Amino acid sequence: MGTEIITFGEAMVELSAIQDDQCRIGIGGDTFNTAVYLARNGHHVAYATAVGTCPFSAQLLDALHKENISKHLAPALPGRSVGLYAISVDDEGERSFTYWRSESAVRSLFDAPEANEVLSAMREVETLYLSGITLSLYTDEVQGQILNLMEERKSAGNRNVFDGNYRPRNWKNVEAARSVIMKAIGLATWSLPTFDDEAELFGDRTPEETAERHRATGADEVVVKHGADGALVDGVEWVKPPEKVTPKDTTGAGDSFNAAFLSARLRGASSVEAALAGHKLAARVLSVPGALIPA
């Protein structure tokens, strides 16, 4: 069977469980985390990105291989490297990040000789998954290319899955982020925002307001994630987590929810059933440090 889903974005070296003299070294990144959980659930996934020629790039490619994610859309760019981030966790399990990613290879993906191959694959695949972080990596021109690609896909009846995943430091200004993310929302088959991100970027007062704006913009289906309060499905039905979880680390919880939701919907589950599946996987992720639970 060929590729069923392409996730598109940046994977980086992840430093987690940081103590005075040691830390855990892994691979993470929002779209990468979602790709891993989709692959573990039996989907045929390819990861569209770019790596360098450094040892950590080899580690990233090895991680894709071990997780049964195709790396044929992850060209190695000579002389480049992958980004790095460190996770800090407070007493409530809430995380913050420190990044070193300005020279990350994926930022040059569309200048690589393999760019047309990657774009062609993303144009044709049934389901494409990307995020606001993905879009924030690129220039205005490349963002336009990606949005045009999403428009072509939607017109052809293919699925675009989008998580706004707003990170202010990645954008040149708020206005640019609002414009690009709104356009991507309007081209989404499934839009999977987190309310806190939407409130920060758009000033939304309630999850219901977020859902209404997404639907009015053109998204076919909207699920607004709101932490322990649950997920609002299409602005009308709240799906609560089946159990209360005290998080050890919130890293990757939204990414895992998205993966389980998408997997369930692709296999015919209702939106409510899919949101419940998302909560169940996210609860497991909240119980471990870092973005990925042991395979």
Side-chain angles (χ1 to χ4, degrees):
M1 181 177 179
T3 300
E4 178 187 3
I5 304 166
I6 292 176
T7 65
F8 170 34
E10 180 181 26
M12 295 174 283
V13 178
E14 177 189 270
L15 307 181
S16 63
I18 298 172
Q19 301 178 19
D20 291 340
D21 58 352
Q22 62 182 359
C23 67
R24 174 181 172 272
I25 301 176
I27 300 294
D30 65 331
T31 52
F32 173 81
N33 302 334
T34 300
V36 168
Y37 290 119
L38 285 167
R40 288 182 182 180
N41 209 23
H43 295 279
H44 295 265
V45 183
Y47 193 55
T49 190
V51 301
T53 51
C54 64
F56 285 123
S57 294
Q59 183 177 345
L60 193 162
L61 292 174
D62 185 56
L64 292 174
H65 175 73
K66 288 180 178 178
E67 294 288 353
N68 296 312
I69 300 169
S70 174
K71 56 187 179 181
H72 75 282
L73 300 178
L77 308 186
R80 302 303 295 270
S81 61
V82 295
L84 179 147
Y85 69 98
I87 302 172
S88 300
V89 183
D90 65 20
D91 293 340
E92 282 72 47
E94 191 57 52
R95 79 279 191 266
S96 60
F97 302 94
T98 303
Y99 291 96
W100 298 266
R101 66 196 304 192
S102 60
E103 298 301 318
S104 178
V106 70
R107 294 175 182 268
S108 298
L109 172 61
F110 289 85
D111 297 322
E114 298 88 349
N116 286 337
E117 177 186 353
V118 175
L119 282 167
S120 178
M122 289 196 294
R123 185 173 290 108
E124 299 299 328
V125 73
E126 289 183 0
T127 303
L128 177 67
Y129 178 93
L130 71 162
S131 73
I133 293 177
T134 306
L135 290 166
S136 73
L137 299 170
Y138 296 108
T139 63
D140 295 350
E141 180 182 355
V142 174
Q143 288 170 356
Q145 285 183 259
I146 297 168
L147 292 170
N148 288 339
L149 174 70
M150 292 178 70
E151 185 171 13
E152 290 175 20
R153 289 179 47 75
K154 192 166 187 177
S155 297
N158 292 324
R159 306 180 192 92
N160 297 318
V161 187
F162 183 70
D163 180 351
N165 223 356
Y166 174 58
R167 300 294 180 266
R169 67 173 66 87
N170 294 359
W171 294 89
K172 58 185 178 182
N173 56 55
V174 172
E175 290 74 20
R178 286 175 181 162
S179 175
V180 173
I181 288 175
M182 281 294 287
K183 289 173 183 175
I185 290 168
L187 297 169
T189 308
W190 290 312
S191 185
L192 305 175
T194 297
F195 174 66
D196 288 347
D197 293 345
E198 300 290 302
E200 182 176 7
L201 180 57
F202 295 104
D204 294 349
R205 294 163 295 182
T206 65
E208 287 81 2
E209 188 174 326
T210 296
E212 182 179 351
R213 178 171 47 80
H214 281 236
R215 288 297 298 271
T217 303
D220 295 335
E221 184 174 314
V222 184
V223 177
V224 184
K225 305 184 293 288
H226 195 24
D229 290 337
L232 179 63
V233 176
D234 267 343
V236 296
E237 184 162 1
W238 278 97
V239 180
K240 302 290 186 179
E243 59 180 322
K244 184 176 180 179
V245 176
T246 300
K248 290 185 178 179
D249 184 349
T250 59
T251 307
D255 308 328
S256 62
F257 177 99
N258 292 351
F261 176 89
L262 176 56
S263 176
R265 288 294 279 129
L266 290 175
R267 289 172 171 163
S270 71
S271 297
V272 170
E273 292 168 335
L276 185 59
H279 286 317
K280 290 178 179 178
L281 179 55
R284 295 174 59 199
V285 174
L286 287 167
S287 69
V288 300
L292 298 176
I293 56 179

